[in-house]
Amino acid sequence: MADQAATLLEALPDLAGRAVLVVGCGDGRYPRLFRREGARRVVGVDADQASIAVAQREEERDPVGISYEVHQIARLPVMGAFDVVVAFLESPAHLGRVAASLVTGGLLVVVATNGLNLEEGLRDNGFQDLVLRRHESGDVHSARKTG
């Protein structure tokens, strides 16, 4: 995780005071990292109830103010207004749904876990300023949401 975490942090702006949504948060490692990096609000979402249970137990053991929810990505509701959305995706199919919780001008950072090229999907969903960072655990794409 350490190398991927460093690549992910390079793609992110300064998180101090920002609201961050993590889609595909797993056991909560990244939401906890983002709180340590100064995010004021962090919400983690994952389809796997067992992973969310692990994350919630860790939050109960060592509370840092993260909330976790179980949602299938295909039915992900708008989770609020977030400055940054970090998503772990295997398909571009749900980019629009993931981006729906992002404020205009906000940053979407996607870890493509299977060599997925997201450039076209990001542009089709109204993103600009696309940056790609290569990593063996999954390429990290970042893009800014336009109006």
Side-chain angles (χ1 to χ4, degrees):
M1 177 185 122
D3 290 337
Q4 186 179 46
T7 302
L8 192 51
L9 287 174
E10 285 174 14
L12 293 170
D14 178 6
L15 294 178
R18 296 182 192 256
V20 180
L21 173 65
V22 185
V23 178
C25 71
D27 64 6
R29 281 181 240 162
Y30 285 114
R32 295 182 76 75
L33 172 64
F34 300 152
R35 280 291 285 156
R36 286 193 301 271
E37 291 292 319
R40 75 172 157 73
R41 177 175 170 235
V42 179
V43 175
V45 174
D46 202 287
D48 182 45
Q49 193 161 5
S51 292
I52 291 295
V54 169
Q56 288 172 325
R57 280 194 299 276
E58 182 62 19
E59 178 64 23
E60 290 168 6
R61 187 189 69 72
D62 181 20
V64 294
I66 301 169
S67 62
Y68 294 100
E69 296 185 28
V70 175
H71 291 287
Q72 299 292 326
I73 195 165
R75 294 186 300 278
L76 183 69
V78 174
M79 300 295 299
F82 291 86
D83 306 302
V84 177
V85 173
V86 176
F88 294 82
L89 299 179
E90 296 177 355
S91 162
H94 303 293
L95 278 172
R97 188 169 294 281
V98 168
S101 296
L102 190 61
V103 299
T104 300
L107 189 69
L108 174 64
V109 178
V110 178
V111 178
T113 57
N114 59 0
L116 184 65
N117 184 337
L118 295 175
E119 186 172 336
E120 184 178 336
L122 288 166
R123 289 193 197 288
D124 289 349
N125 280 282
F127 285 88
Q128 63 184 18
D129 303 330
L130 280 63
V131 176
L132 171 63
R133 291 168 180 84
R134 298 257 181 222
H135 189 272
E136 65 270 6
S137 297
D139 292 341
V140 178
H141 301 258
S142 61
R144 190 139 324 268
K145 184 176 182 180
T146 59

